[in-house]
Amino acid sequence: MNTNKKTDELLVREAVPHFPECGALKSFVRITQGHINDTFRIECENGTFLLQRVSPVAFKEPLKVMKNIEGVTRFLHDSIVKEGGDPKTGCLNLLSTDRGTAYWVDGENEVWRVYLYVFGMSYDTPKNAEVFEKAAEAFGRFQHLLASYPAQDLEEVIPHFHDTPKRFRDLEAAIAANKSGRKDRCLDLIELALARKDRIGKIVDGLKNGTLPLRTTHNDTKLNNIMFDEKGETPLCVLDLDTIMPGSALYDFGDSIRFGANTAAEDEKDLSKVHFSLEMFQAYARGFIRGAAGSLTENEIRLFPYGAWLLTYECGIRFLSDYLDGDLYFRTAYEDHNLVRARDQFALLLDMEAKQSEANAIIESLL
Ligand code: GN1
Ligand code: MG
């Protein structure tokens, strides 16, 4: 999170010289789309690059994040080359520092990295089902490409990231502590959250008892983490590799649905606009299965509706916990931003519950 102790200008000027491939800095702009890291698009003598400071709030051990990303980007790079693709746009490429590392650690012990800039566009909401299906295929393919990556070598950079029962216990702690004093403003949401306790353990249990395979997963598969070409037609590469960890394919499927099959933005205040789109759900399921090219089990596919429901629930309680804690984790733009986000996720969740049998029927038709 940007602590604003130093101005952006100072931060960027300090970081760039450590990445000699960039050449001299000409100008920069801050990119405000993500909720976690500090991100800058930098124009330099040798081209355009993406400079990022890894959030110390989200990532307690940023060097583990970098280790995962180095391993995965190298692996993806080689796979893309083998297939005759262009690795400069087909995956993220880290630049080296003057010391030959993939990151620079500043005086505050914060970790900076530079990627080649991928020119294109990303969608905050899917323009139509066709675009969403293409994104699904890209995320499915990403998982397929990484199917032979040694998941056991990956660091768990945020322990229990999609462990929903653990997120539930965090919520209980946040309610009890009520650090922000805002509990009275969200009693209805707390009730909705607590009432669903006995339905939230299926994925964690499945991974434990072996009925769900452990895979290399992205874990943050929002639509805007796919870079499309400039026309917005063809997916180029998967962005935001910070949370690559061992996990379930259902995490990646579910988080995409939570974000992209919502008819409104994640922080829409007018809840009458928030619906679960079955059309988008179907398009995404179709694309994801195609992209994964046979690597998903039937059990995983059958659990798609549940995965979508669970990831929506989980994100809802994460926003709610952070609201109760006083906005310590997610970057917010105004006082009740996290509450608005949580209300949005719960509205989506309720609509998913109402449409559960239709979602199941869609999946049966795809099997
Ligand atoms: C965070 O920074 P961003 O927007 O990529 C979060 C995700 C949430 C998402 C909600 C590391 O992702 O888990 O689903 O916000 N990332 C982390 O918008 O916590
Ligand atoms: Mg992220």
Side-chain angles (χ1 to χ4, degrees), residues 34-37 59 161 218-220 222 225 239-243:
H35 304 343
I36 306 291
N37 296 320
F59 303 103
F161 190 57
H218 181 281
N219 297 307
D220 188 9
K222 300 199 281 195
N225 279 332
L239 308 174
D240 190 1
L241 308 177
D242 292 329
T243 50

Side-chain angles (χ1 to χ4, degrees), residues 33-37 58-59 158 161-162 167 219-220 222 225 240 242-243 255 258-259 266 315 318-319 329-330:
Q33 224 171 20
H35 304 343
I36 306 291
N37 296 320
F59 303 103
I158 303 183
F161 190 57
H162 284 313
R167 298 286 188 184
N219 297 307
D220 188 9
K222 300 199 281 195
N225 279 332
D240 190 1
D242 292 329
T243 50
D255 199 43
R258 169 193 82 73
F259 188 79
E266 177 182 84
C315 201
R318 289 177 65 197
F319 289 143
Y329 187 89
F330 294 106

Side-chain angles (χ1 to χ4, degrees), residues 69-132:
I69 297 180
E70 279 186 75
V72 165
T73 52
R74 203 175 302 130
F75 188 89
L76 288 172
H77 182 279
D78 294 349
S79 313
I80 292 167
V81 170
K82 263 187 225 146
E83 289 181 358
D86 178 4
K88 286 214 163 134
T89 53
C91 66
L92 289 177
N93 291 269
L94 284 164
L95 261 60
S96 294
T97 61
D98 42 7
R99 295 177 165 202
T101 54
Y103 53 83
W104 170 65
V105 184
D106 71 11
E108 322 265 303
N109 244 339
E110 289 180 355
V111 169
W112 293 79
R113 65 185 171 215
V114 175
Y115 288 117
L116 289 183
Y117 194 86
V118 183
F119 287 89
M121 57 93 65
S122 62
Y123 289 98
D124 280 321
T125 48
K127 194 171 62 175
N128 52 43
E130 199 191 330
V131 159
F132 200 41

